[in-house]
């Protein structure tokens, strides 16, 4: 439509450009004719000379739009384009929640698992037991260190203050001290006890054994037959029928002696 208006405007301007010189020539001819006729005929009225031509008028109203042309023929198929970028699009909206399925059947029983760690109650009881054990050991050490002479052998202490007593008195003294009258159970304990003679200046130590119940059958303080002994040759012999208690000589050999004589007392205190 725009092309049509431009074309019409250009045509009108070209036409005016041709008419304008013709009008000027016509005007000149009219002036000549009127001048000649004026000289001969005074009654001829010639028109006055025309004024300067005005400016061209405005363009006319544009014409109506033309009809649309028919579609052209389909062009050939273009070449295959480059593949696009495989960029993942944004996630879609969450779908509605599914329905809760029905509870399945109970599966077979599994194998027994490993035991778990001990519970708090067990740990507390264990710590309490350990604390009691430590207290008992401390008490034993305190009892042993209250004596002047101390010898440690295995899980026990041999202790003495150098006092002398009869068999029954010696039993009571050691019990009150938290121990019992000494009685070696093996060769090592026997040697340790024998080594205490020199420090105490003794000849005999009372031993926690007697045959008061059955002559010739020496037992410990629990009436249990002895598991170890170190009797001197021909001992025990129950001299004059009065020797029912056991004692150790300074040479580490044992002998039976009367129970009512006073001998050095050595107590043994076991470590718990």
């Amino acid at each position: 439509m725009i092309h049509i208006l431009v074309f019409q405007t250009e045509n009108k301007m070209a036409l005016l450009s041709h008419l304008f010189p013709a009008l000027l020539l016509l005007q000149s001819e009219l002036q000549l004719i009127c001048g000649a006729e004026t000289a001969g005929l005074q009654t001829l009225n010639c028109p006055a000379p025309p004024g300067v031509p005005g400016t061209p008028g405005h363009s006319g109203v544009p014409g109506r739009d033309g009809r649309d042309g028919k579609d052209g023929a389909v062009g050939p198929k273009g070449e295959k384009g480059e593949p696009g970028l495989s960029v993942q699009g944004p996630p879609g909206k969450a779908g509605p929640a599914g329905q809760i399925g029905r509870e399945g059947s109970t599966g077979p029983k599994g194998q027994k698992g490993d035991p778990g760690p001990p519970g708090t109650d067990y740990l507390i009881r264990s710590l309490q037991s350990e604390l009691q054990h430590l207290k008992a050991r401390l008490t034993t050490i305190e009892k042993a260190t209250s004596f002047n002479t101390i010898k440690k052998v295995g899980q026990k202490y041999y202790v003495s203050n150098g006092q002398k007593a009869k068999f029954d008195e010696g039993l009571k003294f050691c019990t009150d001290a938290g121990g019992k009258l000494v009685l070696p159970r093996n060769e090592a304990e026997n040697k340790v006890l024998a080594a205490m003679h020199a420090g105490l200046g003794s000849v005999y130590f009372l031993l926690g054994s007697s045959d008061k119940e059955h002559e010739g059958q020496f037992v410990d303080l629990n009436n249990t037959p002895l598991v170890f002994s170190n009797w001197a040759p021909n001992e025990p012999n129950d001299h004059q029928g009065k020797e029912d208690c056991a004692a150790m000589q300074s040479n580490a050999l044992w002998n039976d002696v009367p129970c009512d004589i006073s001998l050095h007392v050595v107590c043994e205190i076991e470590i718990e």
Side-chain angles (χ1 to χ4, degrees), residues 78-91:
E79 295 182 358
K80 184 177 181 180
E82 298 292 335
L85 299 177
S86 58
V87 179
Q88 184 178 0

Side-chain angles (χ1 to χ4, degrees), residues 9-53:
T9 303
E10 291 178 351
N11 289 341
K12 291 179 179 181
M13 294 297 295
L15 181 59
L16 289 175
S17 65
H18 286 85
L19 289 177
F20 188 71
L23 291 174
L24 292 178
L25 182 59
L26 180 59
Q27 180 182 1
S28 299
E29 293 179 353
L30 289 174
Q31 289 177 353
L32 289 176
I33 294 171
C34 290
E37 291 180 352
T38 303
L41 298 175
Q42 296 295 325
T43 60
L44 180 64
N45 293 325
C46 290
V52 180

Side-chain angles (χ1 to χ4, degrees), residues 133-243:
H133 179 69
L134 292 175
K135 288 181 177 180
R137 289 178 63 88
L138 180 60
T139 300
T140 300
I141 294 172
E142 289 176 347
K143 291 176 182 178
T145 55
S146 65
F147 289 85
N148 297 330
T149 304
I150 306 171
K151 291 289 184 180
K152 187 176 184 299
V153 50
Q155 294 298 312
K156 62 182 71 173
Y157 291 101
Y158 288 166
V159 297
S160 178
N161 283 332
Q163 71 274 24
K164 292 183 177 181
K166 298 178 182 179
F167 183 80
D168 290 338
E169 294 172 349
L171 291 177
K172 186 177 184 304
F173 174 81
C174 289
T175 300
D176 293 343
K180 57 186 176 181
L181 196 60
V182 67
L183 179 63
R185 303 289 179 171
N186 51 54
E187 185 63 29
E189 294 181 359
N190 199 71
K191 288 182 179 180
V192 172
L193 181 60
M196 295 179 69
H197 279 286
L200 295 174
S202 64
V203 178
Y204 278 94
F205 288 148
L206 287 172
L207 297 179
S209 177
S210 72
D211 63 349
K212 292 180 179 182
E213 296 294 332
H214 301 284
E215 179 60 37
Q217 297 181 7
F218 279 82
V219 295
D220 61 17
L221 300 179
N222 296 322
N223 291 324
T224 302
L226 299 180
V227 296
F228 171 80
S229 62
N230 194 38
W231 297 108
N234 302 320
E235 297 293 344
N237 59 8
D238 191 27
H239 181 65
Q240 297 180 353
K242 297 180 179 179
E243 298 179 336

Side-chain angles (χ1 to χ4, degrees), residues 243-263:
E243 298 179 336
D244 294 329
C245 291
M248 173 187 280
Q249 303 176 46
S250 57
N251 58 4
L253 296 176
W254 295 11
N255 195 356
D256 56 344
V257 295
C259 295
D260 57 355
I261 62 173
S262 294
L263 301 175

Side-chain angles (χ1 to χ4, degrees), residues 31-111:
Q31 289 177 353
L32 289 176
I33 294 171
C34 290
E37 291 180 352
T38 303
L41 298 175
Q42 296 295 325
T43 60
L44 180 64
N45 293 325
C46 290
V52 180
T55 58
H58 295 287
S59 300
V61 179
R64 292 180 296 176
D65 295 341
R67 296 181 181 179
D68 294 336
K70 296 182 180 180
D71 295 336
V74 179
K77 183 178 181 180
E79 295 182 358
K80 184 177 181 180
E82 298 292 335
L85 299 177
S86 58
V87 179
Q88 184 178 0
K93 295 182 179 179
Q99 296 180 355
I100 300 176
R102 292 180 297 176
E103 183 178 357
S105 58
T106 303
K109 184 177 181 180
Q111 297 181 354

